[in-house]
């Protein structure tokens, strides 16, 4: 498998695909037309430190959150009900003017991060702390905390996957993966080829989250503190470190054909069964539109698989 370097995410009734600084969002509107938006996003990519191993994972995570929120808002704009602005919205628009959307994206990103830290990082530590009266080993407590953390994450994903709207997002997520797998396995980017490609990919954000959970267990087993508030503080302060290490692990997995790496990637690939669903052909069409706006797959196939257009 030849890594293409492209990635993306599912949005409301659509797909965002990114290649370097270029990104495109394709959304299937209610009238069945496909809306396309192509732009550039530089994010935190403004200094050499953002490209260094370990550090690039931290900045890449921040960029993904910012761009993801922006693209979600774009896709949601096609399905908002036609209703009058509330008093709060009018006040905010008077204060921020044309920058209101950017402010809302920033706020929603920060709020989402805070909620994620509270639920997936701090809550497991609080729960495991109640077991200190029964378990004296900090090693065992850290292991239990990690298991609780993974359990909360898997349970959360399993729960939201039952929602109809989320199911469709996960179907588009599957379409995104299928497009990337189609290209990286040397097939032309057609609806038929995409449909037979795998909906699982080693560079998926779901796998990244699982790697974060596992890496956090290893870190917290080594860094031990008895006081609860210090434990909670350490969980927050170590998030950038864990994210940086996890990103490098994901990058190695996504660019390796090693059987050992494939074996280690299995848990993340299994978890993707919850976050990716088989898409319909019209969803694949949307995904292909997004890919073709940012990636020359024909040249990629020619350079990596010696394939010419129209030749399998």
């Amino acid at each position: 498998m030849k890594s293409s370097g492209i990635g993306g995410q599912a949005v409301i009734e659509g797909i965002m695909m990114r290649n370097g600084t270029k990104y495109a969002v394709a959304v299937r509107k209610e009238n069945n037309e496909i809306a396309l938006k192509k732009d550039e996003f530089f994010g935190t990519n403004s200094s050499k430190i953002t490209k260094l191993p370990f550090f690039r994972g931290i900045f890449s995570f921040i960029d993904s959150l910012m761009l993801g929120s922006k693209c979600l808002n774009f896709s949601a704009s096609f399905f908002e009900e036609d209703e009058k602005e509330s008093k709060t919205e009018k006040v905010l628009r008077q204060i921020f003017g044309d920058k209101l959307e950017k402010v809302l994206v920033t706020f929603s990103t920060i709020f989402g991060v805070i909620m994620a830290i509270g639920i997936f990082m701090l809550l497991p530590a609080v729960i495991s702390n109640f077991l200190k009266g029964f378990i004296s080993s900090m090693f065992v407590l850290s292991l239990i905390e990690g298991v609780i953390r993974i359990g909360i994450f898997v349970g959360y994903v399993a729960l939201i996957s039952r929602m109809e709207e989320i199911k469709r997002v996960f179907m588009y997520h599957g379409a995104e993966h299928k497009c990337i797998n189609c290209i990286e396995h040397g097939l032309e980017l057609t609806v038929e080829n995409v449909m037979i490609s795998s909906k699982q990919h080693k560079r998926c954000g779901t796998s990244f989250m699982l790697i974060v959970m596992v890496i956090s267990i290893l870190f917290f087993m080594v860094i031990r503190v008895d006081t609860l508030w210090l434990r909670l503080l350490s969980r927050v302060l170590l998030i950038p470190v864990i994210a940086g290490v996890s990103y490098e692990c994901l990058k190695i997995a996504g660019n390796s054909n090693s059987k050992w790496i494939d074996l280690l990637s299995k848990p993340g690939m299994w978890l993707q069964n919850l976050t990716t669903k088989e898409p319909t052909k019209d969803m694949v069409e949307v995904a292909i539109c997004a890919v073709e706006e940012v990636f020359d797959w024909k040249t990629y196939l020619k350079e990596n698989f010696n394939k010419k257009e129209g030749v399998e």
Side-chain angles (χ1 to χ4, degrees), residues 115-124 149 152-153 156 213:
M115 288 297 294
I117 291 174
I119 295 172
F120 300 119
M121 299 302 290
L122 302 185
L123 181 59
R149 181 172 292 111
I152 291 175
F153 176 68
Y156 168 78
M213 305 287 177

Side-chain angles (χ1 to χ4, degrees), residues 155-178:
Y156 168 78
V157 173
L159 184 63
I160 65 171
S161 67
R162 299 176 66 88
M163 300 169 61
E164 195 59 38
E165 295 83 359
I166 300 299
K167 281 183 181 179
R168 290 192 62 81
V169 173
F170 286 172
M171 289 171 74
Y172 275 105
H173 189 194
E176 173 219 332
H177 281 192
K178 279 174 170 284

Side-chain angles (χ1 to χ4, degrees), residues 99-117:
K99 295 182 179 180
L100 178 60
E101 181 182 349
K102 186 176 182 179
V103 171
L104 291 176
V105 168
T106 303
F107 174 79
S108 62
T109 302
I110 294 174
F111 179 75
V113 170
I114 292 174
M115 288 297 294
I117 291 174

